[in-house]
Amino acid sequence: MFHEIDSLRVFMALCQSSSIRQGADKLNLTQPAISRRVQKLEDELNVKLFKRTAHGIELTECGDILYRYALQIDSLCTQAKTQIEECSTGRVGEIRIGAGPAWCRSILPKVISHLHQQHPLLKISLVSGLNGTTMAMLAEEKLDLVIGTLQPELNDNDTYIYDLLRENELKVFAGQNHPLHNKTKVELGELLYYPWISLTGSSVGNSVLTKLFSKENLQCPKYDVETSSLQAALAIINGNNFLIVLPDLLEADLAKQEVKPLNLQICILKFPSGMIYRNNGSKRQIMQLLNKTISELL
């Protein structure tokens, strides 16, 4: 359809020129070629679009009407072409994302802001939840994508694609005035002298910690507070001696709230984290775009 407006664009260029020769020079066409295009338009509309004067050419009344509409048509065609190109490359449409609290608090706000600035026609829905919840929503096709812990060993029939984004490490965090921050190296047993907070549903972190203490023949930590709200947990930690296990993805953000990781002698756990989406999904272009944006901002 865009070829059909070539004659209109020739017409518009001629409207903005004082003569056919000047219009031909602008378009890098010959004068006869320009004249043929204009004649074709005049034949189709059965009107004269230009009149000759002592100073060159001028629009007739009908020509002026066509010029005003031609400007609108040209603008609409340009917009349509842009949107079609964006659609074919994943820059329009909708993507429904499920992600863990750490991702939602750290990098995803920047990613969504960046995507919206670059691709304002792309609608983004974000659900915050732990892996078990978001993966269930992905299985029910309530989400297009989950960003969280990668567990490809659970993918029995290649239902999902797993794209690695980074390796996360679980660390023990405490308020910056916690006594254990005064120590160069903190031993595992010293963590038992302080109260703990557990995030509801954070089974991976809790179970790993339990196994780690059991392996060292130590009593398991006692969770004095359990909450589903990361914000509430951080508020409790600040000004108290509570401890919490969180991924290092949050480290830069938590430092602004005066919450820092302890210098443990041992590593609790490192695990792959990234994007999980259906293998037969129709939004591969959007997934690639999102992957590229996250990787650039990490």
Side-chain angles (χ1 to χ4, degrees):
M1 69 176 175
F2 298 105
H3 293 297
E4 296 296 326
I5 68 165
D6 281 350
S7 295
L8 277 181
R9 286 176 173 157
V10 168
F11 167 72
M12 287 188 293
L14 199 54
C15 291
Q16 296 158 6
S17 307
S18 59
S19 66
I20 293 180
R21 180 176 179 178
Q22 188 183 54
D25 290 341
K26 272 186 181 180
L27 295 167
N28 198 26
L29 294 173
T30 63
Q31 290 186 55
I34 293 282
S35 297
R36 284 196 299 271
R37 296 285 185 91
V38 172
Q39 186 64 55
K40 181 181 178 182
L41 279 174
E42 290 180 333
D43 290 345
E44 288 179 0
L45 297 170
N46 198 27
V47 294
K48 285 290 182 183
L49 299 173
F50 293 97
K51 59 185 176 184
R52 294 186 179 275
T53 68
H55 303 289
I57 56 172
E58 289 183 0
L59 283 169
T60 62
E61 187 176 354
C62 292
D64 185 61
I65 293 172
L66 179 61
Y67 178 59
R68 284 185 276 116
Y69 278 102
L71 291 173
Q72 295 179 48
I73 292 169
D74 184 46
S75 175
L76 288 171
C77 284
T78 300
Q79 291 177 44
K81 186 176 181 182
T82 299
Q83 290 190 26
I84 289 168
E85 288 175 350
E86 288 182 334
C87 182
S88 67
T89 55
R91 289 170 170 81
V92 297
E94 179 182 8
I95 178 130
R96 301 165 300 169
I97 305 170
W103 284 96
C104 288
R105 187 181 178 91
S106 57
I107 190 68
L108 281 183
K110 298 175 187 175
V111 170
I112 291 172
S113 177
H114 180 82
L115 277 176
H116 178 70
Q117 289 173 8
Q118 298 296 317
H119 313 293
L121 297 176
L122 179 61
K123 181 181 177 182
I124 304 168
S125 300
L126 177 62
V127 174
S128 178
L130 297 169
N131 247 46
T133 302
T134 54
M135 284 301 295
M137 293 178 71
L138 182 65
E140 295 169 3
E141 299 191 10
K142 294 178 180 178
L143 293 174
D144 301 306
L145 164 76
V146 167
I147 300 177
T149 304
L150 300 182
Q151 295 177 289
E153 66 276 5
L154 302 180
N155 193 17
D156 296 332
N157 53 1
D158 296 326
T159 305
Y160 302 114
I161 291 175
Y162 295 81
D163 288 344
L164 177 67
L165 292 172
R166 79 187 300 269
E167 185 178 62
N168 284 340
E169 180 181 348
L170 286 180
K171 293 185 176 182
V172 177
F173 285 80
Q176 68 172 9
N177 294 322
H178 196 286
L180 290 180
H181 280 308
N182 297 323
K183 304 201 67 171
T184 307
K185 288 292 180 183
V186 178
E187 295 182 7
L188 199 61
E190 295 179 275
L191 303 178
L192 293 173
Y193 296 106
Y194 299 94
W196 284 76
I197 296 180
S198 171
L199 282 178
T200 306
S202 183
S203 57
V204 175
N206 294 350
S207 63
V208 168
L209 206 60
T210 298
K211 289 178 182 177
L212 189 61
F213 275 81
S214 298
K215 184 180 177 182
E216 298 295 322
N217 295 316
L218 293 170
Q219 182 183 350
C220 296
K222 178 176 175 289
Y223 295 101
D224 297 272
V225 175
E226 185 173 337
T227 176
S228 61
S229 168
L230 177 59
Q231 189 60 42
L234 295 176
I236 294 169
I237 287 172
N238 255 325
N240 294 285
N241 287 336
F242 278 90
L243 303 175
I244 189 170
V245 174
L246 294 170
D248 64 338
L249 182 66
L250 285 166
E251 193 167 338
D253 180 65
L254 296 189
K256 300 172 187 175
Q257 298 197 43
E258 302 180 341
V259 175
K260 303 186 301 181
L262 299 176
N263 293 316
L264 281 181
Q265 282 186 329
I266 59 174
C267 172
I268 297 176
L269 177 70
K270 290 184 178 180
F271 58 96
S273 188
M275 295 170 44
I276 309 159
Y277 50 96
R278 282 182 294 278
N279 196 12
N280 62 348
S282 59
K283 299 183 179 181
R284 293 288 184 88
Q285 296 285 355
I286 300 180
M287 302 304 178
Q288 292 172 8
L289 179 63
L290 187 61
N291 189 322
K292 181 175 181 292
T293 305
I294 294 175
S295 299
E296 288 173 351
L297 294 176
L298 274 174

